[in-house]
Amino acid sequence: DGGITQSPKYLFRKEGQNVTLSCEQNLNHDAMYWYRQDPGQGLRLIYYSQIVNDFQKGDIAEGYSVSREKKESFPLTVTSAQKNPTAFYLCASSARRQVGEKLFFGSGTQLSVL
Amino acid sequence: KNEVEQSPQNLTAQEGEFITINCSYSVGISALHWLQQHPGGGIVSLFMLSSGKKKHGRLIATINIQEKHSSLHITASHPRDSAVYICAVSPGGSQGNLIFGKGTKLSVKP
């Protein structure tokens, strides 16, 4: 079945540590996105990528980094510069980054700080 | 003021009831999305619409562009409909980032 796979489901970060969240899709989609979800708030865009080897900052990119070396993969690194990393992280994809394109989401990763 | 407002924030219904969730927005849009977030966290796209009305099974979504308002209706609600329903808009005229509402948490009791 085609879809988006995020791993791990739960992740714990120690002070000063970088952690990487995995996102893989087999939908052959060009566009991929990372969102952050905090309790009682709407999803906020961290980074997006429209094509391999290209990515753009979203609304809250500080303290995060991404790469897009392969079409199917868009990993997110939460760096030590992100002072409040505890949140639910969702990866999504669409065929293209255009108005009217349906979004497909992964099942999310809950990141907590030890 | 948030650009996308949903009401109510929380909703409890009895099985079989007709449910309405509302979404109001303050920006010009090209499209509006209704999403469903399951208790485990995964999100599924339910509808994408830019005018009129769409229906899928027991779910109906409507939009009034002039009034900047959309509604999601669930007929004959069932406990498996319990989830968070999220409204998101695509700002008009550009490939702008989606703006998300905070969600409506629905609980349907048997």
Side-chain angles (χ1 to χ4, degrees):
Chain A
D1 286 336
I4 298 180
T5 302
Q6 286 188 245
S7 63
K9 181 70 173 171
Y10 301 96
L11 187 58
F12 297 90
R13 193 190 91 166
K14 294 181 182 178
E15 193 79 30
Q17 185 183 38
N18 293 352
V19 293
T20 298
L21 285 60
S22 171
C23 178
E24 303 276 332
Q25 55 101 354
N26 61 4
L27 299 166
N28 199 34
H29 284 173
D30 286 330
M32 297 187 74
Y33 313 81
W34 274 105
Y35 291 97
R36 171 178 170 142
Q37 186 177 38
D38 293 281
Q41 293 196 36
L43 274 69
R44 291 181 291 169
L45 182 65
I46 304 171
Y47 268 98
Y48 66 92
S49 169
Q50 299 185 77
I51 198 168
V52 174
N53 292 323
D54 182 68
F55 48 83
Q56 305 294 329
K57 292 181 179 180
D59 301 317
I60 54 165
E62 187 173 349
Y64 300 97
S65 66
V66 294
S67 63
R68 186 87 185 275
E69 297 177 1
K70 297 185 297 182
K71 186 175 186 177
E72 59 269 25
S73 179
F74 192 40
L76 174 74
T77 296
V78 184
T79 74
S80 57
Q82 174 49 249
K83 298 306 180 188
N84 183 25
T86 297
F88 190 64
Y89 291 85
L90 283 153
C91 179
S93 73
S94 60
R96 285 161 298 278
R97 187 170 181 265
Q98 289 180 0
V99 173
E101 289 288 344
K102 182 177 177 178
L103 276 176
F104 295 78
F105 287 85
S107 57
T109 294
Q110 176 64 51
L111 176 61
S112 303
V113 177
L114 288 176
Chain B
K1 186 181 185 301
N2 293 328
E3 292 169 297
V4 179
E5 296 273 5
Q6 289 186 235
S7 63
Q9 290 184 17
N10 294 281
L11 180 57
T12 300
Q14 287 298 126
E15 184 173 356
E17 285 186 0
F18 181 84
I19 289 163
T20 296
I21 298 170
N22 297 298
C23 175
S24 296
Y25 52 91
S26 58
V27 297
I29 69 168
S30 299
L32 182 142
H33 301 250
W34 280 105
L35 310 169
Q36 180 191 53
Q37 185 168 29
H38 298 290
I43 292 178
V44 173
S45 178
L46 298 175
F47 293 104
M48 186 172 52
L49 63 166
S50 55
S51 65
K53 175 180 173 179
K54 287 191 175 180
K55 183 176 190 289
H56 182 67
R58 295 180 295 105
L59 301 177
I60 303 165
T62 63
I63 188 168
N64 185 318
I65 296 293
Q66 286 73 32
E67 294 186 3
K68 291 187 167 64
H69 182 269
S70 176
S71 293
L72 177 68
H73 305 286
I74 305 175
T75 63
S77 60
H78 190 276
R80 65 175 175 266
D81 297 324
S82 298
V84 175
Y85 292 84
I86 299 170
C87 172
V89 301
S90 298
S94 70
Q95 290 187 344
N97 300 328
L98 285 177
I99 305 171
F100 292 81
K102 295 180 180 181
T104 294
K105 185 174 183 179
L106 171 66
S107 178
V108 182
K109 306 294 185 186

